[in-house]
Amino acid sequence: MVEVIEVRSVSKTYQQPKRFPGVLGALKSLVTPEYTEVKAVADVSFGIRKGEAVGYLGPNGAGKSTMIKMMTGILVPTSGSVSVLGCTPHERRMEIARRIGVVFGQRSQLWWDLPVADSFELHRRIYDIPAARYADNLRRFAELLELEPFLDRAVRQLSLGQRMRAEIVMALLHDPQILFLDEPTIGLDVVAKDAVRRFLAEVNRERGITIILTTHDLQDIETICPRLIMVDHARLVFDGELGRLRSALGSARRLTLEFTTDPGPLPLTTAVLTADDGLLKHYRIERDDVSLVDVLTEVGPGREIKDIALEEPNIEEVIRTFYQRRNTAVPA
Amino acid sequence: MRQLRIALRLVLMQIRSQMEYRGAFWIDRIAQIITYSSSLAVIWLLVDRFTELAGWRWPDLLLLYSFHVLGYATGAAISFTQMRDLEERVRLGTFDSLLTKPISPWLYIVFSGFNIGYAGHILLGIALMVWALWIAPVDWSLLTIAYFIASLLSAAMVTAAFLTMIGLTALIWVRSNHLYSIFFGFWELTRYPLDIFPVGIQGVMLTIVPLAFTSSVPVAVVLGKQVPLLGDWAPALALLAGPFFVLLAVLCWREAVNRYQGAGG
Amino acid sequence: MSAYLAFAQSGFLTQLAYRNEVWANLFGKLVQVFARVAIWTAIYGGAGVIGGVSLEEMVTYALLGGAVTGAARYETVVGGIGHALRTGDVAVWLLKPVHFPLYVIASEVGRALYRFTFLVVPTVIFVALFYGMLPPASFFHGAMFVAYWVLALAIFFLIAALFGLVAFWLLTSFSLEWLMQALLNLLAGQLIPFWFFPEPLGAIARQLPFAWIVYYPSAVWLGRLSPEECLAQFGIGLGWAAALAFGVWLLWRRASGRVVVQGG
């Protein structure tokens, strides 16, 4: 397999003017402006192979957008090197542009007052897409995302979900090898989110298009991306499969036991009691080698259990645990 | 060729977008014509009372005003609103999206924002110019006609280049719009002959804010009047100013796009 | 009342926060004032007095001309009110114990005070150092100028608010901003004082509310109005302000009523 993206010890630093509060502060920045250096990306390296789908994840201000912008040729790294499809993006911006698709979730590239079809037609001209291939792609993608009903409506009359679907289809019309998506599901309702996710997963699987997406919504990752890259405070903190992250952390499972009669406080060694509602007791099983049988054995016979619920950790919890542990281990 | 076809397509799309609001569009044009007429009326009131302004009489001042409106409108149609909104594009990140397209961002911005709103200026400018040419004391020959048209083009080029250079600072400093208040401060002066201003202002308007070339220099040449500071160089410089500042703007634009950092985050 | 003071204060402070804007505005203002003085110097040529008015008086008039129009901007008031009404954003304001046009005006007054302090006064002083400037004709005229200045600011913003409200029915505030400029150009006396207008144009212009924005304050400073006239014209100006305020109140009620009925 070929690496389509190679990022080697990349850093990006911004200069930002300092602002001071109050009248005196404003006067101060008027006379002697000061700048602070903001490190958005610090020494990040990774490689992405053809056909992969990668989720790029991190809290606000962790440098996700900056990384996408460096990979798409918008920004130049302060140090390190980025290589996309064998080129340095900002040096061969035009050439790279023809071979990638980019969707920025909150910044529409559609013409607000004109029908969607007009924006598509303009896209065809800008990317020099052969007529037959354009028609074929449009038909297929439009069908998958059900665009036909609103292709001839002005963009300003569309819902956010419809707009995002159109946006994604447009980014794919020129058969890009890599598709970059910055927060593609932000602000969408559940149905629209689901449609977008299934579509992206399918495009990745069927067409072998490499997908890199940043997101806040972990469901996106679970549906689309087998691989996860996590950044925090500008640094790369995890790169691997979601499953590996989960097992590496051994995230806690949640166990709820419902008794027929209240056994009183019931501390256990195999699980931690987190909440006690009398008949209902909530536990956290922190160790991976503890099984449900172990816990029930410890509870012992003689206490009649009416119902048992065991929940596997969901992705949000996995990631929250991850960041919490990091922050306690390495003070920022 | 391909670029040209895309530019044309962008302009047509922009016109169709604007025509979605055609009622407001024409009301706005009428309002602009009224406002420009009111500025001209101020000049008329001045010469009505004082007969002349530094040797310029009503026909001269009318020609100057019409030239100022036409040259400015032609240049601004391909620069002003587009470049003023560049600040917003940078802030919202839509400029970033443009950089991911296989097209010159300048071409896209300028033609997708091609401002047909200047139709009002152009209608008024042409009408005033016809009136002015009717009454102004110009010895017309093929040469003066050619010179007049060429200097009008040069004026539009200076306007567009200068407005572009102001706007592109947004790529480096994020905020740029306040600089337009300096531009329009000087721009208002181009309705008057350069002669009336102190030497300092004259010097500025012939160099770092080269707006004298958009009206009073070429019009003085056509009317056979002396141009302060430039003297005999005025006719040639009025024609060269356009290409020179366009070239400068192109270089600045390239440099700014290369140094572009995004809005941060 | 204290809420509106807070709006004005925050308008003032936000202006302070932007360094480059301050310098750019200062520079732009300076050019304008220089130009206005230059125009009058050119017109007077060598003549000391034209029509009973000296060059010195005209230079002073030109410097004072920006005292209100150089500090106050109508765009945000016309555009702000027009926009809020058309988009229905105004609905949010209807829930607050704040009168929306007054809110817009208050924050704009803050900005105007800022511009007056940091732009107008420095530029006037700077240009006066070059060309000279006459003091007020008397202590009384000086004091009246201050009162006229406050009245001018009020009339200016009330007219702007009225235009902003009309924008609601016209569906475009852009054209009203331009019309406001056209009226200020001609009828405020910004560049040419009405005593140089041909009659009956001058007489008509003296009666319209725009005259109180530039013409009357400057004429009072120069002592071209007797003390009795000063007071009388001030009274008429107050009358205009009251009429305009009533107009704003009336149109606002109708416009906001429409927004509520249409559901934004």
Side-chain angles (χ1 to χ4, degrees):
Chain A
M1 284 292 230
V2 206
E3 301 246 308
V4 287
I5 297 179
E6 266 188 272
V7 172
R8 277 206 218 99
S9 41
V10 161
S11 299
K12 178 75 192 173
T13 312
Y14 293 108
Q15 295 252 324
Q16 277 180 347
K18 267 188 193 165
R19 294 226 188 281
F20 304 95
V23 180
L24 282 177
L27 280 175
K28 182 174 156 57
S29 57
L30 192 73
V31 183
T32 52
E34 282 176 41
Y35 295 92
T36 33
E37 289 211 329
V38 180
K39 211 154 201 172
V41 172
D43 197 27
V44 170
S45 303
F46 57 84
I48 292 173
R49 287 189 306 279
K50 189 176 183 319
E52 276 197 279
V54 179
Y56 204 83
L57 200 83
N60 269 337
K64 291 177 307 218
S65 294
T66 304
M67 184 48 94
I68 291 264
K69 285 178 192 170
M70 287 192 284
M71 290 191 282
T72 48
I74 296 167
L75 292 181
V76 186
T78 311
S79 65
S81 74
V82 178
S83 162
V84 173
L85 298 166
C87 316
T88 306
H90 68 270
E91 283 170 6
R92 317 221 348 229
R93 201 175 56 71
M94 292 276 194
E95 197 186 320
I96 292 278
R98 288 177 184 280
R99 298 162 70 191
I100 62 172
V102 185
V103 176
F104 288 115
Q106 284 166 306
R107 307 154 215 165
S108 181
Q109 308 187 43
L110 301 166
W111 283 59
W112 185 249
D113 288 312
L114 297 183
V116 181
D118 284 287
S119 296
F120 285 5
E121 185 59 27
L122 177 69
H123 189 87
R124 175 171 93 75
R125 307 287 174 117
I126 290 177
Y127 285 82
D128 282 324
I129 311 171
R133 215 175 60 181
Y134 170 79
D136 188 47
N137 278 348
L138 179 57
R139 189 175 44 75
R140 234 179 307 161
F141 293 136
E143 195 184 296
L144 277 172
L145 274 177
E146 292 163 22
L147 297 194
E148 276 101 352
F150 57 84
L151 268 180
D152 292 320
R153 288 232 304 272
V155 173
R156 61 165 191 272
Q157 296 163 345
L158 304 184
S159 72
L160 193 60
Q162 289 171 324
R163 269 204 316 265
M164 183 47 69
R165 275 143 68 191
E167 209 88 53
I168 291 172
V169 167
M170 188 161 90
L172 287 168
L173 287 174
H174 57 286
D175 287 327
Q177 287 162 266
I178 309 174
L179 181 61
F180 293 93
L181 303 114
D182 195 7
E183 304 278 0
T185 57
I186 200 160
L188 303 191
D189 62 59
V190 183
V191 181
K193 271 183 181 170
D194 192 50
V196 165
R197 282 176 194 142
R198 274 187 294 123
F199 176 75
L200 289 175
E202 181 163 337
V203 163
N204 172 245
R205 213 171 41 239
E206 304 288 314
R207 299 214 162 197
I209 296 175
T210 312
I211 289 183
I212 292 116
L213 65 87
T214 69
T215 185
H216 271 92
D217 193 327
L218 300 151
Q219 201 69 44
D220 290 352
I221 309 253
E222 216 150 43
T223 332
I224 310 164
C225 308
R227 180 174 160 197
L228 186 63
I229 293 177
M230 278 166 73
V231 284
D232 188 25
H233 291 104
R235 295 184 176 278
L236 189 134
V237 292
F238 178 84
D239 180 358
E241 279 174 24
L242 181 59
R244 192 163 74 78
L245 178 68
R246 205 176 262 164
S247 60
L249 287 171
S251 306
R253 288 162 287 170
R254 275 188 297 192
L255 176 68
T256 309
L257 298 177
E258 191 180 352
F259 297 89
T260 44
T261 52
D262 189 354
L266 187 63
L268 300 173
T269 53
T270 46
V272 181
L273 181 67
T274 52
D276 190 342
D277 296 335
L279 291 177
L280 266 183
K281 303 216 184 296
H282 304 271
Y283 292 94
R284 211 170 59 227
I285 307 177
E286 285 182 334
R287 280 162 42 205
D288 265 11
D289 55 344
V290 171
S291 71
L292 181 59
V293 177
D294 296 334
V295 181
L296 294 180
T297 312
E298 199 190 345
V299 172
R303 293 193 179 92
E304 200 176 322
I305 294 171
K306 192 174 161 197
D307 200 5
I308 300 171
L310 181 66
E311 280 174 64
E312 287 295 324
N314 66 12
I315 182 169
E316 313 206 10
E317 262 170 69
V318 171
I319 285 166
R320 202 178 309 126
T321 327
F322 184 86
Y323 282 121
Q324 274 164 1
R325 286 204 191 170
R326 245 184 73 75
N327 288 342
T328 45
V330 194
Chain B
M1 233 3 245
R2 168 181 163 263
Q3 304 267 332
L4 211 68
R5 272 209 309 276
I6 293 177
L8 188 68
R9 183 162 201 93
L10 288 168
V11 170
L12 291 175
M13 286 174 80
Q14 162 70 1
I15 292 175
R16 278 177 47 217
S17 294
Q18 298 240 326
M19 283 304 122
E20 290 279 305
Y21 310 94
R22 74 193 68 161
F25 180 84
W26 289 112
I27 295 176
D28 291 347
R29 300 294 78 77
I30 292 167
Q32 280 180 313
I33 290 177
I34 293 174
T35 306
Y36 274 88
S37 305
S38 80
S39 305
L40 180 63
V42 167
I43 295 173
W44 179 82
L45 283 170
L46 277 180
V47 281
D48 175 67
R49 182 71 175 74
F50 305 100
T51 51
E52 60 163 55
L53 195 59
W56 293 56
R57 289 165 175 271
W58 171 243
D60 309 330
L61 290 167
L62 182 62
L63 185 65
L64 180 67
Y65 191 81
S66 66
F67 195 97
H68 148 91
V69 171
L70 262 188
Y72 167 73
T74 316
I78 57 161
S79 55
F80 176 52
T81 43
Q82 297 92 319
M83 291 299 154
R84 183 197 58 199
D85 297 346
L86 189 59
E87 178 180 310
E88 178 127 320
R89 276 186 187 273
V90 168
R91 203 162 42 75
L92 298 179
T94 51
F95 186 75
D96 292 345
S97 318
L98 279 185
L99 287 175
T100 67
K101 290 180 195 294
I103 190 174
S104 141
W106 176 83
L107 184 112
Y108 191 96
I109 288 172
V110 162
F111 291 98
S112 71
F114 182 80
N115 195 342
I116 54 167
Y118 283 103
H121 292 64
I122 295 197
L123 283 177
L124 177 74
I126 289 175
L128 293 178
M129 189 166 275
V130 168
W131 179 14
L133 292 177
W134 193 262
I135 58 173
V138 183
D139 292 327
W140 290 110
S141 69
L142 230 53
L143 196 69
T144 44
I145 292 172
Y147 181 84
F148 190 73
I149 294 170
S151 61
L152 194 56
L153 276 177
S154 176
M157 285 163 90
V158 172
T159 306
F162 200 67
L163 286 168
T164 304
M165 286 192 278
I166 294 175
L168 64 81
T169 59
L171 296 179
I172 296 162
W173 297 328
V174 183
R175 293 176 72 96
S176 67
N177 282 357
H178 54 281
L179 293 176
Y180 285 110
S181 64
I182 298 184
F183 174 89
F184 284 106
F186 281 104
W187 174 80
E188 271 191 53
L189 311 193
T190 61
R191 294 167 187 164
Y192 302 97
L194 192 59
D195 320 49
I196 67 166
F197 300 112
V199 178
I201 289 187
Q202 288 178 355
V204 170
M205 291 185 68
L206 289 168
T207 51
I208 49 170
V209 189
L211 294 180
F213 292 109
T214 68
S215 66
S216 53
V217 174
V219 173
V221 169
V222 169
L223 290 169
K225 292 178 183 295
Q226 271 297 307
V227 176
L229 299 180
L230 297 184
D232 294 341
W233 291 92
L237 287 177
L239 291 189
L240 289 175
F244 173 77
F245 283 104
V246 164
L247 192 70
L248 192 65
V250 170
L251 294 176
C252 289
W253 176 266
R254 291 217 178 122
E255 178 62 22
V257 171
N258 283 337
R259 286 180 54 183
Y260 175 62
Q261 273 214 335
Chain C
M1 193 59 213
S2 66
Y4 297 107
L5 276 178
F7 295 143
Q9 193 193 1
S10 79
F12 187 95
L13 287 178
T14 49
Q15 288 287 296
L16 258 177
Y18 297 107
R19 168 169 46 94
N20 295 331
E21 277 83 337
V22 179
W23 298 124
N25 284 331
L26 189 69
F27 196 71
K29 201 96 288 162
L30 208 58
V31 171
Q32 272 177 9
V33 177
F34 257 116
R36 230 175 283 146
V37 174
I39 289 167
W40 287 111
T41 324
I43 283 171
Y44 271 70
V49 179
I50 297 181
V53 185
S54 70
L55 176 60
E56 263 188 313
E57 282 179 294
M58 275 321 298
V59 168
T60 306
Y61 186 92
L63 289 177
L64 293 173
V68 166
T69 53
R73 298 247 170 97
Y74 54 83
E75 295 96 327
T76 35
V77 177
V78 178
I81 294 177
H83 181 81
L85 280 169
R86 266 177 299 125
T87 55
D89 287 356
V90 78
V92 182
W93 288 95
L94 296 175
L95 302 172
K96 300 183 184 180
V98 169
H99 192 262
F100 182 67
L102 261 186
Y103 154 75
V104 176
I105 290 176
S107 45
E108 202 46 44
V109 164
R111 271 170 248 163
L113 290 178
Y114 158 84
R115 288 192 208 102
F116 183 76
T117 322
F118 290 98
L119 301 179
V120 175
V121 172
T123 44
V124 166
I125 291 174
F126 187 77
V127 179
L129 288 178
F130 281 82
Y131 294 97
M133 183 179 178
L134 295 171
S138 69
F139 179 78
F140 172 78
H141 285 98
M144 278 313 282
F145 174 81
V146 176
Y148 267 90
W149 185 78
V150 174
L151 178 63
L153 212 56
I155 288 183
F156 181 90
F157 282 126
L158 285 169
I159 293 175
L162 209 57
F163 273 57
L165 288 163
V166 172
F168 174 60
W169 282 278
L170 216 54
L171 298 175
T172 156
S173 44
F174 181 89
S175 51
L176 286 154
E177 287 172 35
W178 279 79
L179 284 177
M180 175 103 188
Q181 184 59 50
L183 290 166
L184 286 176
N185 279 346
L186 271 180
L187 298 176
Q190 186 154 237
L191 185 66
I192 313 176
F194 301 144
W195 55 72
F196 285 143
F197 270 40
E199 292 305 332
L201 233 56
I204 296 168
R206 279 188 181 85
Q207 308 309 318
L208 298 173
F210 301 96
W212 275 266
I213 295 173
V214 176
Y215 174 76
Y216 281 117
S218 309
V220 165
W221 176 293
L222 290 172
R224 296 191 69 86
L225 266 62
S226 67
E228 297 76 43
E229 282 174 318
C230 278
L231 293 171
Q233 292 300 341
F234 192 78
I236 300 174
L238 280 180
W240 270 118
L244 288 166
F246 178 72
V248 168
W249 176 79
L250 201 70
L251 283 187
W252 167 251
R253 249 187 39 162
R254 300 192 60 174
S256 58
R258 281 260 296 255
V259 168
V260 173
V261 172
Q262 291 168 352

